[in-house]
Amino acid sequence: MGRVDAKHVIVTGGARGMGAAFARKLAAEGAQVTITDVLAEEGAALAAEIGSSALFLPLDVTSEAAWLDVVATAENHFGPVTGLVNNAGIVHVDPIEKLSEADYRKVIDVNQLGVFLGMKSVVASMRRAGVGSIVNISSTGGLIGYSNILGYVASKWAVRGMTKTAAQEFAADNIRVNSVHPGIVATEMVAASARSANIAANQPISRPGTPEELANLVLFLLSDDSSYSTGSEFIADGGFTTQ
């Protein structure tokens, strides 16, 4: 038996990187996975690779109407949603004095508004299922500050707080909500960053994490193994924030 047999999980930003690793791991452990992303070609290819336990649906996480359509379609295909991984995210690099309002708002819309809309959109389906687990992917940037990525840090701190509020509101419906705070992970987003490589080299575990390592943590939070955990931060950063 798999650790998430008979569960139906929506993964945003699921076409590549950590999201793709989450989708593969969940499907391998018995879940039916609805993969969403704006990268339609890559998302469809991943769903085809995984097979009949995966469905790809394009999704702009900043649109409430799009969210409602995705949840309805996914529920019609696989049944009520029992898990959500709010993974979609972007980063914009600029010092504060050069950061435009438009660029700041774009990051907030994807990273923060997208998480809010995701949680709001799946609750009714999870209530129908009688159970749910929501995993919001934050960052070590939701625990400490980093220069030159103000919008990203602001959004990830917001996700941390939103997670705690949602955990309080949804507990009566048997829905748990937790946040995951990755450090440097070897994905397309950070592969070309000398700053990221330097951070990883100087932390206690002196290497980047892998998407598969984060997928193991997400699997735990979506499984019944974490049934007494809600409103909590789960950090996977090679010990960076211990310094």
Side-chain angles (χ1 to χ4, degrees), residues 1 6 19 21 23 27-28 33 53 60 66 72 79 83 95 100-101 114 126 134 141-142 157 182 206 236:
M1 289 181 60
V33 184
S53 61
D60 172 1
S100 72
E101 179 181 346
M126 289 182 173
I134 297 172
W157 276 80
S206 55

Side-chain angles (χ1 to χ4, degrees), residues 8 48 51 53 92 133 171 177 203 229:
H8 172 199
S53 61
H92 180 88
S133 177
V177 191
Q203 63 194 22
S229 296

Side-chain angles (χ1 to χ4, degrees), residues 6-159:
K7 295 187 185 296
H8 172 199
V9 183
I10 295 176
V11 179
T12 72
R16 64 183 184 181
M18 289 196 302
F22 300 159
R24 289 189 180 100
K25 174 66 72 172
L26 292 166
E29 289 287 342
Q32 295 168 312
V33 184
T34 298
I35 301 162
T36 72
D37 209 305
V38 293
L39 302 173
E41 187 174 334
E42 292 175 69
L46 177 61
E49 171 200 318
I50 292 171
S52 61
S53 61
L55 169 70
F56 173 73
L57 296 172
L59 173 64
D60 172 1
V61 297
T62 69
S63 166
E64 184 166 14
W67 262 111
L68 293 174
D69 286 345
V70 159
V71 172
T73 302
E75 187 173 38
N76 184 62
H77 191 82
F78 285 135
V81 178
T82 59
L84 168 66
V85 185
N86 274 314
N87 171 68
I90 60 173
V91 63
H92 180 88
V93 180
D94 256 330
I96 294 170
E97 61 186 334
K98 293 184 178 179
L99 179 63
S100 72
E101 179 181 346
D103 286 332
Y104 177 83
R105 287 183 180 276
K106 183 177 180 180
V107 173
I108 295 298
D109 281 351
V110 174
N111 296 5
Q112 180 177 338
L113 178 64
V115 169
F116 157 64
L117 292 176
M119 293 193 294
K120 180 181 179 181
S121 300
V122 300
V123 168
S125 189
M126 289 182 173
R127 286 188 180 125
R128 285 190 286 275
V131 65
S133 177
I134 297 172
V135 179
N136 294 326
I137 306 300
S138 180
S139 166
T140 53
L143 301 168
I144 60 175
Y146 291 99
S147 61
N148 299 317
I149 52 171
L150 177 71
Y152 182 84
V153 169
S155 69
K156 295 303 186 178
W157 276 80
V159 167

Side-chain angles (χ1 to χ4, degrees), residues 17 38 41 82 112 161 167 169 173 189 193 202 211:
V38 293
E41 187 174 334
T82 59
Q112 180 177 338
E169 291 189 17
D173 295 305
M189 184 181 286
S193 170
N202 289 283

